[in-house]
Amino acid sequence: TGLVVSFGEMLIDFVPTVSGVSLAEAPGFLKAPGGAPANVAIAVARLGGRCAFLGKLGDDEFGRMLAAILRDNGVDDSGVTFDAGARTALAFVTLRADGEREFMFYRNPSADMLLTEAELNLDLIRKAKVFHYGSISLITEPCRSAHLKAMEVAKEAGALLSYDPNLRLPLWPSAAEAREQILSIWDAADIIKVSDVELEFLTGTDSVEDEVAMRLWRPSLKLLLVTLGDKGCKYYTKEFHGSVESFTVKQVDTTGAGDAFVGALLGKIIEDQSALQDEKKLRELLRFANACGAITTTKKGAIPSLPNLSEAMQLMERA
Ligand code: ATP
């Protein structure tokens, strides 16, 4: 089967050992490896697909730990480079009692932001059948140029381009800048997945109605997806659109649900691209992606809760 190459940041989230506290109140923190593009890579591999991660880590104990996590999960890490000077990115993340997520990033700058064009493993990119990326790697140079170059090389080599903007507003200089930059690469993608919150942010509305989602549609797109948490997802193609419900699960921590959804989707698309034209096939595929997202919410953390194929099948058969 074909190779998915996922490009971007991999980092460590530090999450409080107890829930419902502010960062200041937290008595201690647990390491939770993450970074959306890395989660997607591991999601693909855990479901049986071939995947490589492309990005930069610090040449430190955390960086080497993250590379080992990729390998242990069957992800090709030959595109990973290490920065001798900068540290692996860290983020302290907490879900406060009021339900708001609080982020504090240690990226000043972190190794992921320092990836250069010259460091890109172009052979690996050219092997990709699907090339996936987010928007955090667009925020600062030199990584921004490396990101744009990687997209260009992948596209030239005939890969499908997959984009999950994964908005992290605190990392951008302003909301306007975030919106502008995230949309600046919109037209290059074949597949785009946004969450309901991102749809509202990017369109400046408080609605996820079809006519609002259609503002993010481009003729160059093959598939636009909007994820709706426990309500499943909506899909839009040139020929058809609709929605697919998710599964009922006991939600513990939603971190990584969107990445599991994307990983499941890309792993299937690479096997059979005809789902992009065939609504029945696409709905089946999205039912699978929903199941994978749903399972990921049932355990704490992103990577430990990404499902394997048999867990996904079990949930689908049970429903
Ligand atoms: P993340 O928390 O990783 O940022 P996201 O906001 O990108 O996630 P969500 O919409 O929360 O993405 O979830 C992705 C998919 O996972 C949904 O489309 C749905 O299929 C599934 N999912 C998420 N939460 C639940 C839930 N509570 N119950 C069932 N399915 C869920």
Side-chain angles (χ1 to χ4, degrees), residues 101 168 193 195 227-230 232-233 246-247 249 251 254-259 261 290 293-294 297:
R101 268 216 282 191
R168 289 287 176 271
K193 173 254 167 196
S195 67
T227 58
L228 308 166
D230 63 357
C233 66
S246 191
F247 298 83
V249 292
Q251 180 180 312
T254 65
T255 309
D259 305 328
F261 177 94
N290 283 343
T297 71

Side-chain angles (χ1 to χ4, degrees), residues 36 39 101 164 166 168 193-198 226-234 244-262 286-287 289-297 302 315:
N39 293 343
R101 268 216 282 191
D164 174 355
N166 234 293
R168 289 287 176 271
K193 173 254 167 196
V194 292
S195 67
D196 40 8
V197 176
E198 287 158 353
V226 181
T227 58
L228 308 166
D230 63 357
K231 292 185 199 60
C233 66
K234 296 199 193 196
V244 181
E245 279 182 19
S246 191
F247 298 83
T248 305
V249 292
K250 228 175 124 222
Q251 180 180 312
V252 174
D253 172 10
T254 65
T255 309
D259 305 328
F261 177 94
V262 171
L286 294 175
R287 190 167 175 269
N290 283 343
C292 292
I295 291 168
T296 306
T297 71
L315 179 59

Side-chain angles (χ1 to χ4, degrees), residues 223-281:
L223 177 63
L224 172 66
L225 293 160
V226 181
T227 58
L228 308 166
D230 63 357
K231 292 185 199 60
C233 66
K234 296 199 193 196
Y235 57 88
Y236 303 84
T237 74
K238 196 162 65 157
E239 310 292 341
F240 47 80
H241 66 94
S243 59
V244 181
E245 279 182 19
S246 191
F247 298 83
T248 305
V249 292
K250 228 175 124 222
Q251 180 180 312
V252 174
D253 172 10
T254 65
T255 309
D259 305 328
F261 177 94
V262 171
L265 169 84
L266 298 181
K268 288 281 182 194
I269 290 281
I270 221 162
E271 280 174 18
D272 184 5
Q273 286 193 29
S274 69
L276 295 169
Q277 287 98 40
D278 180 331
E279 186 168 15
K280 189 163 169 283
K281 275 190 188 170

